[in-house]
Amino acid sequence: MTRRIAVAQITMRWTTAENMGAISTAMALAKVHGAELCGFSELAVTGFHRQIAREARPEVVAPTVQELHAYAGSLGLGIAVGAPTFADDGARFNSHLLINERGETAAVVSKRGLTDPEATFFARGSSRPIGLLQGLRCSAVICREVCDLEHVAAELPPGTVDVIFVPGALRQDPDKPRTDPPEYVRDIQRLAAATRAHVIQTNWPNALNRPEQSVDGGGSCVANPDGELLFRLPSQAPGVAIFTLGAHQYDWYAHEA
């Protein structure tokens, strides 16, 4: 099954409006260059930074997500994009939305592997659903959840999913010796092999709270169901990569909103 996939490694901005501009530009670019699916990073809609409380409000997020649904449907493009979601009791979740090519929600995956600071603001998710995008069974493993291989592999055993999106801001552990590739890339390879799925990671290329950490930004990677690392994208560089699922090569389009 031939599928053209885009990885949108776009610059994080401080506001939802700015991020939405970058997302829309990346979606249009992906479609023009033949992509059927486009993956974005964790909390791509709001950005993931110290101003998250200002942005992660229903009145800000809801109209933006509605706009994303409409635009995905108009392009016939499936997307996997991070955004806060909200429960009736006021709880907030760090979620990854799987929106199909008709502009419909196929699945919402909410992060369970929260850090202690994240857990002061977001509630933990409780399931890892699968959604159908362009005929592919897709799910998401958000950021550091990729380290919990045994648990995720039990939820997504071989044969249940074709593509796993891994959105986040993964970087080298500063307290350990630097390796090439970083250990989190090895975790992504292990996840691909354990689930027998293509794993598509989308890393933010920059850090807003601590700009010095941008040195480890970008470098998004893709692994095949054998656990082979197919490629990594440029570090610290905003752009959109488009590739044929399973291929080692990709086309790179530099991008700024």
Side-chain angles (χ1 to χ4, degrees):
M1 183 184 296
T2 301
R3 288 286 186 266
R4 292 284 283 171
I5 312 291
V7 179
Q9 188 175 276
I10 58 175
T11 301
M12 187 193 305
R13 308 289 187 173
W14 286 107
T15 70
T16 296
E18 290 175 300
N19 287 316
M20 182 58 186
I23 290 168
S24 298
T25 299
M27 288 172 64
L29 190 154
K31 181 65 177 181
V32 163
H33 292 285
E36 300 170 79
L37 293 178
C38 186
F40 293 89
S41 197
E42 181 181 14
L43 292 175
V45 167
T46 56
F48 201 177
H49 47 65
R50 68 173 66 95
Q51 298 297 334
I52 186 67
R54 180 193 66 200
E55 300 298 315
R57 294 180 290 126
E59 61 269 29
V60 174
V61 174
T64 304
V65 170
Q66 289 177 356
E67 186 178 345
L68 277 175
H69 278 79
Y71 195 41
S74 70
L75 293 176
L77 180 72
I79 63 172
V81 61
T85 57
F86 309 91
D88 292 339
D89 63 2
R92 292 174 296 250
F93 299 91
N94 176 345
S95 299
H96 216 58
L97 314 182
L98 305 184
I99 301 173
N100 68 23
E101 61 276 13
R102 295 181 297 280
E104 304 162 343
T105 298
V108 176
V109 183
S110 295
K111 187 176 183 179
R112 274 180 282 179
L114 301 172
T115 65
D116 290 340
E118 289 171 356
T120 66
F121 187 75
F122 291 111
R124 298 184 188 278
S126 59
S127 64
R128 200 175 307 280
I130 297 168
L132 199 65
L133 306 181
Q134 299 286 17
L136 295 171
R137 299 165 298 173
C138 301
S139 192
V141 174
I142 302 174
C143 203
R144 292 292 175 182
E145 290 181 333
V146 75
C147 300
D148 194 1
L149 179 60
E150 183 177 350
H151 187 73
V152 175
E155 294 178 312
L156 302 174
T160 60
V161 68
D162 302 303
V163 173
I164 299 172
F165 292 97
V166 179
L170 293 166
R171 64 186 182 93
Q172 297 257 13
D173 187 333
D175 296 325
K176 295 181 179 180
R178 296 182 69 85
T179 60
D180 187 18
E183 188 61 25
Y184 72 79
V185 174
R186 299 298 190 198
D187 286 336
I188 286 165
Q189 292 180 259
R190 296 179 189 110
L191 175 64
T195 58
R196 299 297 300 167
H198 296 274
V199 176
I200 300 171
Q201 185 227 359
T202 305
N203 225 24
W204 285 110
N206 67 314
L208 289 178
N209 289 343
R210 297 181 177 87
E212 69 278 5
Q213 293 181 357
S214 295
V215 68
D216 287 322
S220 302
C221 67
V222 175
N224 71 15
D226 292 326
E228 178 187 8
L229 180 63
L230 297 179
F231 57 80
R232 296 186 70 198
L233 301 188
S235 62
Q236 302 183 64
V240 177
I242 301 177
F243 65 100
T244 299
L245 197 62
H248 289 80
Q249 297 81 30
Y250 62 90
D251 299 316
W252 176 252
Y253 303 93
H255 170 279
E256 279 291 348

